[in-house]
Amino acid sequence: MEKFSKVKAAVAAIEADVEKFYNAGNAAAGTRVRKAMQDLKVLAQEIRAEVTEKKNSGK
């Protein structure tokens, strides 16, 4: 659950940069969005591994 909370916090934190990139055309904000999306990808993969491990350990 802790990692899922980190995912939600990361999405909330990047919201301003997403607005700046898509609505104002701020290229630097786009770079920050791309980095944050990569960090989210890593977190999501960690969550997937945890879920798989927990699911398989119950058998």
Side-chain angles (χ1 to χ4, degrees):
M1 271 315 270
E2 178 185 331
K3 288 184 181 172
F4 186 72
S5 296
K6 287 182 182 181
V7 168
K8 291 194 308 185
V11 169
I14 195 166
E15 190 171 0
D17 282 330
V18 170
E19 289 288 329
K20 288 177 188 175
F21 177 70
Y22 283 105
N23 295 333
N26 184 328
T31 301
R32 291 189 296 272
V33 169
R34 291 184 67 232
K35 182 186 182 319
M37 291 295 115
Q38 184 63 36
D39 294 343
L40 283 172
K41 178 182 172 185
V42 170
L43 272 173
Q45 189 62 42
E46 290 172 3
I47 291 170
R48 283 177 46 96
E50 268 183 22
V51 168
T52 301
E53 181 182 329
K54 185 170 180 139
K55 184 179 88 170
N56 292 339
S57 69
K59 293 183 179 179

